[in-house]
Amino acid sequence: MNIHAIGAIYRFEMARTGRTLLQSVVSPVLSTSLYFIVFGSAIGSHMNAIDGVTYGAFIVPGLIMLALLTQSITNAAFGIYFPRFVGTIYEVLSAPVSFVEITLGYVGAAATKSIVLGLIILATSTLFVPVQVLHPVWMVGFLVLTAVTFSLFGFIIGIWADGFEKLQMIPLLIVTPLTFLGGSFYSIDMLPPFWRSVTLFNPVVYLISGFRWSFFGVSDVNIALSLGMTLAFLVACLVAVWWIFKTGYRLKS
Amino acid sequence: MQPILSVQNVSKTYEGGFVALKNVSLDLSQGEIFALLGPNGAGKTTLISIICGLVNMTEGRIAVAGHDIVADYRAARELIGLVPQELKTDSFETVWATVSFSRGLFGKKRNDAYIEKVLRDLSLWDKKDSKIMTLSGGMKRRVLIAKALSHEPRVLFLDEPTAGVDVELRRDMWRLVSALRAAGVTIILTTHYLEEAEEMADRIGVIRKGELILVEEKTALMRKFGQKRLTIQLTAPLAAVPPALAGHGLELAPGGQALIYAYGTTNGSHAPVSALFHDLDQAGLAYKDLDTEQSTLEDIFVDLMRGE
């Protein structure tokens, strides 16, 4: 294992975050705070409690998940796409590193950034609403698992994309709508039966449900199913990354 | 002695059917400077890219110091440094950060003293905290060389390293190349400045349409393919080459004031020249001056390319 290489890629990516602190951390925290003010305080004060949880607190896990998913994908996608775009990827591809080490460096850094961001948003939320975490170990587990899985997904997008438009396409057109429709701001039990069934095809439902369970002990779907779906997506992403490096897709000719 | 780089029967066909390399074989010894020459699109960069792991070969085998570049890629790549043709740099990074990153990427422990030495050797030390985007093109080229040297490679590829750089920097680079060779580093360079290859290289390889058509010691190449041209300035103009000198293949210069004698340098023999002067005396031709020119590598290269 080329530990120095993993460390070099990881530090390089983390340093990029330091340079773009406003975009990487301040911007998502600000937008999440606005969600709390609008949905949590202004609208939430007129909403009934859901499963015994005030609406303001109920949306906390969903908002963290929303930021976690989009930031994991964006960070990892940009991290690998930018060197491809400017051509500096030649150095990584000619270095004595395996695809596992390259992935660990890039995805590890992207996941770290997302986890830190998620924790900052959690801390920020306590300024607006009282938040309890019933199962802190599971909460951290879901946070890490989701950050890693979606950073892997972003890494795949960053390799697949051949332009900035494509880089933004999946996070904006697929992930954000799925997150909004995945129960970030409501319990899927509040939906009519037909739409509840449709929603169960949305993988984000399982992430948010599991994560919310770790906070309040209530969930839309079974916790084991949530965990299983997240792990299944993780395995699918790992297989895709393995195939990319095996074939050199978009990386080598 | 085991070659530091062994390329055996390497071929590359890109998707779409373009054949970039055809059965290329080449062995390089440690510490030599090898110049790979060829027109644009001949396959130079493809060959370098395959050796460095950037392009997959279709057939063949390559080993660096005995390490197969596919089966034992870690050991092989640790020994290789690459300076690419294009200026591919991280614009927002500092010089120090990007060179340190390269060292780590190639599996080497942090060594600030070594990085400092590399930066000083390349006159980059006073720019170590500058962002790369603020540097001139020549300085960016130095940064790429510093990155390639950061992990102490034993084989260094310089793909058009002096393209678009000023004369001073070019001379600095060749000084560096000499120092690296003295330290036992094998250098493979491609260049369009053939006088550089002529001055620096130990051996020359010429690649044309994906085929390595020639690999020679530079001095042997100059002897084998080079020509000398002797111009004999006559005291009185001639209307035609005298029949007595017809056997020498002389050419009469425009105006008839000089005779031009072109001869090969294959065996270094001067016998033909002495025979010519003997016959000139016999023909009673008087001459007032002599001038000789020898083919440059550029002339040889152009002749080889015309021979397709």
Side-chain angles (χ1 to χ4, degrees):
Chain A
M1 186 69 89
N2 188 344
I3 299 294
H4 293 298
I6 299 170
I9 296 172
Y10 185 86
R11 284 192 299 275
F12 183 91
E13 283 298 297
M14 294 306 285
R16 191 164 61 79
T17 309
R19 285 198 305 271
T20 56
L21 211 57
L22 201 68
Q23 177 200 330
S24 301
V25 178
V26 178
S27 170
V29 167
L30 180 67
S31 58
T32 311
S33 299
L34 291 173
Y35 279 122
F36 280 122
I37 293 167
V38 175
F39 291 100
S41 302
I43 297 175
S45 59
H46 300 284
M47 300 278 287
N48 295 327
I50 302 170
D51 294 325
V53 181
T54 63
Y55 184 71
F58 180 83
I59 64 170
V60 170
L63 284 178
I64 293 173
M65 232 4 128
L66 178 66
L68 200 67
L69 296 188
T70 50
Q71 289 302 311
S72 296
I73 292 173
T74 308
N75 282 331
F78 194 78
I80 189 70
Y81 178 75
F82 195 66
R84 283 181 59 222
F85 178 71
V86 298
T88 52
I89 192 74
Y90 84 87
E91 200 176 15
V92 175
L93 296 177
S94 64
V97 287
S98 68
F99 87 91
V100 174
E101 291 152 358
I102 294 173
T103 308
L104 277 174
Y106 280 106
V107 172
T112 304
K113 284 184 256 183
S114 301
I115 291 166
V116 169
L117 186 68
L119 294 174
I120 291 174
I121 291 173
L122 177 60
T124 309
S125 70
T126 60
L127 301 175
F128 298 94
V129 289
V131 180
Q132 57 164 343
V133 183
L134 212 59
H135 307 291
V137 175
W138 280 100
M139 189 276 281
V140 172
F142 266 108
L143 196 72
V144 172
L145 190 61
T146 308
V148 170
T149 303
F150 279 81
S151 294
L152 266 174
F153 186 50
F155 188 68
I156 294 164
I157 292 171
I159 292 172
W160 164 77
D162 52 10
F164 280 98
E165 194 185 6
K166 275 190 179 176
L167 198 65
Q168 295 294 334
M169 202 161 72
I170 290 187
L172 281 177
L173 298 183
I174 298 175
V175 176
T176 304
L178 285 179
T179 313
F180 271 87
L181 299 172
S184 294
F185 299 101
Y186 55 85
S187 163
I188 63 168
D189 288 338
M190 295 162 76
L191 296 171
F194 173 75
W195 288 110
R196 196 183 310 151
S197 303
V198 171
T199 301
L200 289 175
F201 288 97
N202 178 356
V204 179
V205 164
Y206 301 93
L207 298 173
I208 293 176
S209 177
F211 196 50
R212 186 171 283 138
W213 170 84
S214 69
F215 277 73
F216 310 119
V218 293
S219 61
D220 290 328
V221 292
N222 184 283
I223 181 67
L225 189 60
S226 288
L227 195 60
M229 290 294 278
T230 313
L231 285 171
F233 192 50
L234 173 68
V235 171
C237 290
L238 284 172
V239 170
V241 170
W242 169 81
W243 177 83
I244 283 169
F245 280 95
K246 185 173 182 289
T247 59
Y249 174 75
R250 303 266 195 191
L251 294 173
K252 287 187 183 185
S253 44
Chain B
M1 190 175 147
Q2 183 187 57
I4 188 78
L5 176 66
S6 172
V7 177
Q8 300 300 324
N9 309 108
V10 168
S11 298
K12 172 65 185 176
T13 305
Y14 284 102
E15 272 182 47
F18 175 69
V19 180
L21 291 177
K22 298 174 197 166
N23 202 31
V24 171
S25 293
L26 175 69
D27 281 346
L28 297 188
S29 307
Q30 183 168 343
E32 76 169 309
I33 299 180
F34 184 82
L36 187 60
L37 309 179
N40 289 335
K44 304 185 296 290
T45 300
T46 297
L47 180 59
I48 290 175
S49 299
I50 288 174
I51 297 168
C52 294
L54 301 173
V55 170
N56 295 322
M57 64 185 133
T58 310
E59 282 176 35
R61 182 180 182 274
I62 298 173
V64 181
H67 303 290
D68 187 282
I69 64 158
V70 177
D72 195 9
Y73 71 94
R74 281 186 197 273
R77 290 185 193 177
E78 275 173 11
L79 303 173
I80 296 175
L82 168 66
V83 181
Q85 196 176 127
E86 292 169 38
L87 290 174
K88 298 168 177 174
T89 53
D90 299 300
S91 302
F92 305 103
E93 288 290 319
T94 65
V95 171
W96 179 270
T98 197
V99 177
S100 300
F101 168 75
S102 299
R103 183 175 174 86
L105 195 61
F106 277 75
K108 291 276 184 179
K109 267 171 61 177
R110 182 174 171 162
N111 184 341
D112 291 355
Y114 179 75
I115 300 290
E116 180 178 339
K117 180 185 179 304
V118 169
L119 294 184
R120 285 192 188 280
D121 286 348
L122 287 158
S123 308
L124 280 170
W125 181 244
D126 59 334
K127 301 281 184 189
K128 71 182 170 68
D129 296 321
S130 302
K131 285 189 174 174
I132 297 171
M133 64 196 289
T134 64
L135 302 180
S136 66
M139 292 307 251
K140 285 178 183 165
R141 181 74 66 186
R142 288 175 197 241
V143 172
L144 287 179
I145 295 176
K147 283 167 77 69
L149 295 176
S150 67
H151 63 280
E152 304 160 57
R154 284 176 61 198
V155 180
L156 182 66
F157 288 92
L158 299 168
D159 196 2
E160 303 279 353
T162 52
V165 303
D166 61 34
V167 176
E168 188 188 356
L169 175 54
R170 207 186 304 171
R171 285 182 183 155
D172 275 0
M173 283 197 189
W174 295 125
R175 269 195 291 273
L176 179 77
V177 166
S178 298
L180 288 169
R181 194 234 311 251
V185 177
T186 304
I187 295 160
I188 297 98
L189 68 97
T190 70
T191 177
H192 279 155
Y193 300 106
L194 297 182
E195 71 274 18
E196 287 176 348
E198 186 174 341
E199 189 181 328
M200 300 298 300
D202 300 311
R203 280 201 301 162
I204 308 277
V206 178
I207 193 164
R208 188 180 69 194
K209 292 183 176 176
E211 289 183 271
L212 195 58
I213 57 172
L214 179 145
V215 176
E216 282 280 2
E217 295 282 339
K218 182 183 67 188
T219 46
L221 180 73
M222 304 296 279
R223 270 204 312 272
K224 191 168 170 183
F225 293 94
Q227 283 214 325
K228 279 197 170 180
R229 187 180 160 96
L230 171 66
T231 303
I232 303 160
Q233 299 287 348
L234 303 169
T235 51
L238 291 175
V241 176
L245 299 173
H248 292 287
L250 293 171
E251 189 186 325
L252 192 63
Q257 291 283 1
L259 286 168
I260 297 163
Y261 178 51
Y263 59 103
T265 57
T266 308
N267 54 12
S269 165
H270 290 263
V273 179
S274 55
L276 171 67
F277 281 112
H278 177 265
D279 289 351
L280 281 172
D281 289 341
Q282 290 293 309
L285 286 180
Y287 42 92
K288 56 184 179 186
D289 202 359
L290 300 172
D291 182 29
T292 59
E293 288 174 45
Q294 185 156 1
S295 307
T296 62
L297 181 59
E298 187 160 336
D299 298 325
I300 296 169
F301 177 73
V302 169
D303 287 344
L304 283 167
M305 288 302 115
R306 278 187 187 146
E308 58 187 312

